[in-house]
Amino acid sequence: LAASVLENNRAAGRRVAAAESCTGGMVSVALTDIAGSSDVFSAGFITYSAHAKQSQLDVSSEILETFGEVSLATAWAMAAGALANSDADVAVAITGIAGPGGGSEKKPVGQVVFARALRGQDPDDYFTQRVQFDSKDRAAIRHAATLFALDLLQPDRDSLRPSEDITRPAPSSSPARVSIAAIIFRSA
């Protein structure tokens, strides 16, 4: 999948960026593990804390205080900030609760919020979506979120608009689980 993201964006003459919280750089790693990715991959922002979201991506304190770090508004602002602070043409943002702790009734473990912004697009049309990954396994949630985010970087996703909440499976990890890089590359 990562190789396909690079290949398809290269063909479209585009650069990509990722603003990551709960995935902690996994999207950026998947892309930069591929030789020659520098002509497509512009920037990766790992913004795990609220302070990092504010200082690196210009997410306002009002958004964070009003909606929280795991929200559509925060993901939207993260994606906008990734575009504003890079030369990317398309950016994806990921923020969520990977667990196993930290969840609440309103924001349970496995809830991940995504945003996708395209340079020149009306910001009202940025894609945002809240996904509930059906797992309590931290590694599985982070892996599923990484794959979902990588797919959002594909040029054929340009027509996506804000979307309804969805639930998706997040296959459990095990000691014998194949590494994320192997799965991502095999999916390409």
Side-chain angles (χ1 to χ4, degrees):
L1 181 56
S4 172
V5 168
L6 292 172
E7 182 179 310
N8 292 335
N9 279 287
R10 184 176 290 119
R14 300 194 326 187
R15 295 179 57 77
V16 304
E20 304 182 62
S21 185
C22 66
T23 50
M26 293 170 70
V27 172
S28 299
V29 166
L31 294 168
T32 59
D33 271 352
I34 299 170
S37 61
S38 62
D39 66 331
V40 174
F41 185 74
S42 170
F45 302 89
I46 301 172
T47 57
Y48 212 70
S49 71
H51 175 74
K53 289 172 180 67
Q54 290 175 295
S55 64
Q56 294 179 43
L57 298 171
D58 307 318
V59 176
S60 74
S61 59
E62 291 80 18
I63 286 176
L64 293 167
E65 290 166 10
T66 303
F67 301 102
E69 288 186 62
V70 180
S71 66
L72 294 170
T74 296
W76 181 95
M78 289 170 65
L83 281 185
N85 291 290
S86 73
D87 66 347
D89 301 293
V90 62
V92 66
I94 311 104
T95 185
I97 312 222
S104 68
E105 187 176 322
K106 287 185 177 184
K107 295 180 182 180
V109 168
Q111 185 175 104
V112 182
V113 185
F114 298 88
R116 179 191 196 276
L118 184 63
R119 191 170 300 282
Q121 180 182 33
D122 182 336
D124 288 342
D125 291 332
Y126 288 175
F127 171 82
T128 54
Q129 186 166 51
R130 187 176 11 249
V131 178
Q132 181 64 48
F133 290 106
D134 191 18
S135 178
K136 302 295 182 218
D137 182 308
R138 181 177 181 82
I141 292 164
R142 293 176 76 219
H143 173 74
T146 298
L147 294 175
F148 193 93
L150 282 167
D151 184 64
L152 288 177
L153 288 170
Q154 294 283 18
D156 66 357
R157 302 297 186 251
D158 284 356
S159 63
L160 290 174
R161 295 297 176 260
S163 182
E164 299 295 319
D165 298 353
I166 62 171
T167 299
R168 297 188 65 163
S172 293
S173 62
S174 69
R177 189 171 70 99
V178 179
S179 75
I180 186 170
I183 291 171
I184 291 170
F185 299 134
R186 187 174 57 222
S187 299

